[in-house]
Amino acid sequence: MGVVLNIENGKREAASIKDLIDLTAADMGRVNKLILSKAGSDVEMIPEIANHLISSGGKRLRPMLTLASAQMFGYSGEGHVKLATSVEFMHTATLLHDDVVDESGMRRGNKTARMIWGNQASVLVGDFLLGQAFRMMVDVGSLEALDILSSAASIIAEGEVMQLAAAKNLETTEDEHFAVIKAKTAALFSAAAEVGPVIAQATRNDRAALRSYGMNLGLAFQLIDDALDYGGTSKDLGKNVGDDFREGKVTLPVILAYRRGTKAERTFWKRAIEDNFTDDAGLEKAIGLMTRHGAIADTIGRAGHFGEIARDALAPLEATPQKSALIDVIDFCISRVN
């Protein structure tokens, strides 16, 4: 179930992150070894749960941003591998916690850890991975990098609480939603991109450029996820299409359709989201209303806007293969809705 989404007429050739993957391949090999090492524990359940999610097929985009942004400014030490691994552990911990809060059943086409081992184990293993992430940050010895990533961890937690407080609230404004996704998703993208130039001792302007790039890329990435839930495929999402609707999440397509709808349509949304009437028929009607009011298309448009801000953030920087690859990431994130 879904709708066909088009970003623009005369679309550029298919976007890819192949260049980013190629540029970071050697370092990502070291990251993957460190991930397996640091996810180990004498407590048997810890590596079982950690490896269940770590090995489930994610693209590891965030650690690749850290590696590429460090390479971009000529970094030649070992710290970027530890920071990239820290970023991936922070992301994995967030997923474990998110699935408990959202009561999700699927993640990247597999049962979530909470469905196999339970909520308590998922939360505690997420905490273990966060602890390991901070140990690696300390090992790097950069107080500034530690400050950036620890601040991001705090902001992500605030975003989770903001989302919980706003759960099923159809009066949520677009600005309020942006505040949530800026904290929950974009903060880690921003930190992942910024710590590379920090340990490479790049200029403040260069650090600010990567910070802005990451923040706006993260906003675009999450808005595309919001749109894909109503018009993508399970392969695109890494979860079941319509999960946001079934979980009563108030994402941007819902906010726009609700605000633009008639009184009768707003009654439907209240019954669906607030009273949990979210069956397949309800999902089909929701997609129809979103299509009628341009809610999905406008969500994609907002994502494109943030993508352009990310592109402009990098514009003044010297041309390098890494810069070109980071620009490709913007196109790739948005082109998921083709």
Side-chain angles (χ1 to χ4, degrees):
M1 185 182 298
V3 293
V4 177
L5 302 175
N6 293 302
I7 309 170
E8 57 186 19
N9 294 322
K11 188 170 173 262
R12 286 172 276 204
E13 62 181 273
S16 166
I17 57 170
K18 181 179 183 303
D19 287 350
L20 180 70
I21 292 170
D22 290 345
L23 286 166
T24 59
D27 284 338
M28 276 304 298
R30 294 156 69 198
V31 167
N32 289 331
K33 286 180 182 177
L34 193 55
I35 284 172
L36 293 175
S37 169
K38 296 297 183 180
S41 169
D42 292 337
V43 181
E44 186 176 334
M45 192 180 289
I46 289 175
E48 280 184 6
I49 295 177
N51 290 330
H52 172 77
L53 192 51
I54 289 166
S55 64
S56 63
K59 292 183 177 64
R60 301 209 170 136
L61 181 56
R62 295 157 188 81
M64 285 194 285
L65 295 182
T66 299
L67 298 174
S69 64
Q71 291 175 5
M72 193 173 176
F73 298 100
Y75 181 73
S76 58
E78 300 288 325
H80 65 321
V81 171
K82 290 181 178 178
L83 291 178
T85 307
S86 297
V87 164
E88 183 63 11
F89 272 18
M90 288 173 66
H91 176 55
T92 303
T94 301
L95 297 184
L96 286 166
H97 291 164
D98 275 357
D99 287 340
V100 171
V101 173
D102 298 337
E103 299 181 346
S104 297
M106 295 288 287
R107 168 74 64 183
R108 296 171 184 161
N110 299 315
K111 283 185 178 181
T112 54
R114 63 174 288 272
M115 297 296 290
I116 302 172
W117 290 280
N119 288 338
Q120 293 166 316
S122 293
V123 170
L124 294 173
V125 172
D127 292 344
F128 170 82
L129 293 178
L130 281 175
Q132 292 291 72
F134 281 104
R135 288 177 67 181
M136 285 184 282
M137 292 175 214
V138 171
D139 286 345
V140 172
S142 167
L143 278 177
E144 193 168 0
L146 176 61
D147 179 52
I148 290 165
L149 286 169
S150 61
S151 294
S154 177
I155 290 167
I156 292 164
E158 286 179 339
E160 287 285 357
V161 177
M162 277 195 288
Q163 185 179 54
L164 193 61
K168 298 185 180 293
N169 179 12
L170 285 161
E171 301 305 324
T172 299
T173 66
E174 192 167 338
D175 283 344
E176 287 168 341
H177 181 63
F178 284 148
V180 170
I181 64 174
K182 186 176 182 180
K184 268 199 65 185
T185 302
L188 186 55
F189 273 88
S190 181
E194 187 182 2
V195 291
V198 163
I199 61 169
Q201 298 185 329
T203 68
R204 275 197 188 280
N205 287 341
D206 291 338
R207 298 175 191 184
L210 270 295
R211 179 170 63 246
S212 175
Y213 163 82
M215 180 64 70
N216 287 286
L217 175 68
L219 288 167
F221 183 93
Q222 185 57 55
L223 288 173
I224 293 299
D225 264 9
D226 287 355
L228 282 171
D229 197 72
Y230 293 96
T233 66
S234 295
K235 182 181 177 183
D236 294 324
L237 278 167
K239 60 180 183 177
N240 294 321
V241 173
D243 272 357
D244 285 354
F245 181 73
R246 295 182 190 94
E247 292 166 9
K249 287 187 179 178
V250 180
T251 58
L252 189 58
V254 174
I255 291 167
L256 296 178
Y258 176 76
R259 289 183 172 271
R260 295 171 181 177
T262 64
K263 184 177 180 180
E265 288 168 357
R266 285 195 290 273
T267 298
F268 159 77
W269 284 112
K270 286 182 177 180
R271 185 170 185 266
I273 300 297
E274 294 177 1
D275 299 332
N276 297 317
F277 283 91
T278 54
D279 56 11
D280 287 346
L283 177 59
E284 189 170 359
K285 181 170 182 177
I287 292 171
L289 293 176
M290 288 174 178
T291 304
R292 180 185 308 169
H293 294 294
I296 299 174
D298 284 351
T299 297
I300 296 165
R302 306 285 200 276
H305 166 71
F306 288 116
E308 290 306 315
I309 297 175
R311 191 186 310 275
D312 287 341
L314 296 182
L317 302 183
E318 181 182 344
T320 64
Q322 288 81 12
K323 175 181 172 180
S324 177
L326 292 177
I327 290 171
D328 288 345
V329 174
I330 303 168
D331 296 328
F332 170 78
C333 286
I334 294 173
S335 72
R336 292 180 298 154
V337 286
N338 53 29

